[in-house]
Amino acid sequence: GAGVSQSPSNKVTEKGKDVELRCDPISGHTALYWYRQSLGQGLEFLIYFQGNSAPDKSGLPSDRFSAERTGGSVSTLTIQRTQQEDSAVYLCASSQRIAQSTDTQYFGPGTRLTVL
Amino acid sequence: QKEVEQDPGPLSVPEGAIVSLNCTYSNSAFQYFMWYRQYSRKGPELLMYTYSSGNKEDGRFTAQVDKSSKYISLFIRDSQPSDSATYLCAIAGGTSYGKLTFGQGTILTVHP
């Protein structure tokens, strides 16, 4: 079917507001990943979900960041009390399984977040 | 020190040139090495994947891994304007099982 989709494609918010970013993975993919891409920083891992296992949150930069995955499919990344340094492109990826590191991760187009 | 270092460029070459893109990494536990291509305003897409040391060729693209030097390379032969994109190396394995650690990305422009 379709690839990974993300919404919104662009989000402009004011400092201090909360934002929610959505990711729809490829149907049947059990693993879902969030990354952040900032100018000069490259792609940074944030969090991943695999099936019903506890998510690996080791990349989340602060407790203002959280994510959930409902029903093993759609995921939402929430940033509370946004700061200007949160401005970046947030990318979601999914893969069929996580049993091997060789699994191809398919990326969505990203959500471009701008915090004024 | 970052786990993966990649020269961000930008790199500008004429059409038909051979392009060499490189990354170095610090953790010898990494076993899986990938190159992603990212066009402007798009998500990255997997271009090449290599396990452990060695070479892998796919059309005009060749990926090389030298684990003894912790050095990975991507070569593009007969470069085309459509190859203009950002190229990101990514590594996985060891304790970072399942998540990718990316280099900063190299911006490549191939001009006609």
Side-chain angles (χ1 to χ4, degrees):
Chain A
V4 177
S5 61
Q6 294 186 244
S7 60
S9 55
N10 285 283
K11 176 72 176 178
V12 180
T13 191
E14 294 179 348
K15 178 181 172 181
K17 301 279 190 183
D18 297 351
V19 295
E20 285 189 351
L21 313 179
R22 177 187 167 106
C23 172
D24 282 90
I26 293 172
S27 178
H29 280 192
T30 59
L32 186 148
Y33 315 78
W34 283 98
Y35 294 86
R36 178 171 70 174
Q37 189 170 31
S38 311
L39 258 169
Q41 294 295 320
L43 263 155
E44 302 172 278
F45 165 79
L46 296 177
I47 185 171
Y48 78 65
F49 300 86
Q50 165 58 13
N52 295 322
S53 302
D56 179 344
K57 306 179 182 180
S58 59
L60 294 178
S62 78
D63 59 8
R64 295 187 296 105
F65 288 72
S66 63
E68 62 177 21
R69 189 177 184 193
T70 53
S73 181
V74 171
S75 177
T76 302
L77 176 70
T78 301
I79 309 173
Q80 295 178 309
R81 304 181 303 281
T82 51
Q83 303 294 312
Q84 288 183 331
E85 61 263 28
D86 299 334
S87 296
V89 176
Y90 290 82
L91 289 156
C92 175
S94 69
S95 69
Q96 283 188 309
R97 65 186 188 281
I98 205 168
Q100 298 175 4
S101 294
T102 58
D103 259 10
T104 298
Q105 295 185 21
Y106 296 87
F107 283 82
T111 294
R112 185 174 298 272
L113 175 67
T114 303
V115 182
L116 302 176
Chain B
Q1 180 188 6
K2 289 185 178 181
E3 285 191 292
V4 183
E5 299 276 1
Q6 183 177 6
D7 186 342
L11 188 60
S12 181
V13 301
E15 184 174 355
I18 296 174
V19 176
S20 172
L21 305 167
N22 310 291
C23 290
T24 58
Y25 62 96
S26 57
N27 188 341
S28 58
F30 289 124
Q31 297 175 300
Y32 304 93
F33 307 93
M34 287 142 277
W35 285 94
Y36 279 80
R37 179 176 60 194
Q38 185 177 23
Y39 291 113
S40 181
R41 301 274 174 165
K42 303 286 187 184
E45 56 179 342
L46 182 66
L47 194 59
M48 296 284 285
Y49 149 75
T50 309
Y51 170 70
S52 195
S53 284
N55 292 3
K56 185 172 185 178
E57 188 173 322
D58 184 2
R60 296 183 295 109
F61 299 88
T62 300
Q64 285 186 353
V65 175
D66 182 349
K67 290 194 72 178
S68 62
S69 304
K70 301 190 184 68
Y71 193 84
I72 61 176
S73 302
L74 177 72
F75 297 96
I76 308 174
R77 291 186 300 280
D78 187 25
S79 55
Q80 303 295 308
S82 58
D83 295 329
S84 298
T86 297
Y87 290 81
L88 301 129
C89 61
I91 56 178
T95 58
S96 70
Y97 201 67
K99 69 184 185 190
L100 301 179
T101 301
F102 284 87
Q104 196 174 347
T106 300
I107 301 170
L108 172 68
T109 302
V110 181
H111 50 86

